[in-house]
Amino acid sequence: MKKEFISLTAGFVITLFMAGTALAQVQLPEITITESAKSTITNQKVFTSFNTAFKGATSVRWFESNNRYLVNFMMDDIRNHILYTKKGQIIYHVLYGFEKNLPSDLLSQVKSKYKAYAVNRAINIKQGGANVWMVNLENDKGYVVLRMADGDMNEVRTLRKTMPDEVRASL
């Protein structure tokens, strides 16, 4: 049986990458976990809270440390990470989705301004009442990372695609 380990320290940072370049980061609360993954946990409040909210979750892996519980799972073919308190309250929830997972009003907002771009990834971060979407866009000329929250859409980073010198020379 293969043991899986996770070690997160100095805060959980979500880094968005495109073309091998880090484009944006979101800092979440600090946790330190050096436990092996488990299929269940012993804290009944956390277990009940999770099972009530996420019926049908698959590939569930639990990590426990310092009275916090991190669960990684799949739901509707979407990867999720949730950090719980010992009382079963969610500290944060990260959903790693795609264009189809972006709420329709946000997708309309993106498509109206970035018509020539395709949505590659849509990552939703919920923490303490904040609901932030990080959206990765791409077209043949470059990449754009958007941060969407509270009705605002802001460009976090743009990256232009460049043609390698050897390709340019062959044209």
Side-chain angles (χ1 to χ4, degrees):
M1 182 170 152
K2 178 183 169 191
K3 283 190 174 182
E4 297 183 50
F5 290 90
I6 185 168
S7 180
L8 304 175
T9 57
F12 183 49
V13 177
I14 297 173
T15 305
L16 305 177
F17 288 94
M18 283 190 190
T21 302
L23 299 179
Q25 292 185 336
V26 176
Q27 178 80 35
L28 296 173
E30 181 175 329
I31 59 173
T32 301
I33 300 173
T34 54
E35 303 273 335
S36 60
K38 305 171 188 174
S39 58
T40 61
I41 58 166
T42 57
N43 183 308
Q44 196 58 43
K45 287 181 183 178
V46 174
F47 190 72
T48 300
S49 179
F50 174 75
N51 283 331
T52 301
F54 300 98
K55 292 179 196 288
T58 60
S59 302
V60 178
R61 295 182 344 197
W62 287 96
F63 302 91
E64 179 180 344
S65 183
N66 301 328
N67 290 318
R68 291 187 177 178
Y69 302 87
L70 178 68
V71 60
N72 299 337
F73 63 98
M74 297 294 292
M75 186 82 170
D76 301 323
D77 294 325
I78 302 169
R79 187 169 43 119
N80 290 261
H81 298 282
I82 299 179
L83 183 65
Y84 284 97
T85 66
K86 66 181 180 183
K87 294 182 179 181
Q89 297 169 332
I90 293 175
I91 297 170
Y92 66 75
H93 179 185
V94 181
L95 178 145
Y96 297 88
F98 300 93
E99 179 176 325
K100 68 181 180 179
N101 308 113
L102 199 57
S104 58
D105 60 327
L106 299 182
L107 181 59
S108 295
Q109 190 178 359
V110 169
K111 293 290 188 178
S112 69
K113 185 170 180 185
Y114 297 92
K115 293 175 179 73
Y117 287 83
V119 176
N120 281 348
R121 202 70 162 143
I123 300 171
N124 183 220
I125 302 113
K126 295 178 184 174
Q127 180 184 13
N131 186 5
V132 178
W133 283 89
M134 300 298 289
V135 181
N136 296 348
L137 305 173
E138 179 181 9
N139 70 9
D140 59 340
K141 294 180 181 171
Y143 304 94
V144 176
V145 176
L146 301 175
R147 181 184 185 279
M148 303 181 79
D150 302 324
D152 292 328
M153 179 171 66
N154 301 301
E155 279 188 20
V156 174
R157 179 120 187 231
T158 60
L159 182 64
R160 198 174 58 138
K161 290 182 181 178
T162 59
M163 191 180 307
D165 291 337
E166 60 273 8
V167 173
R168 189 176 297 113
S170 69
L171 296 177

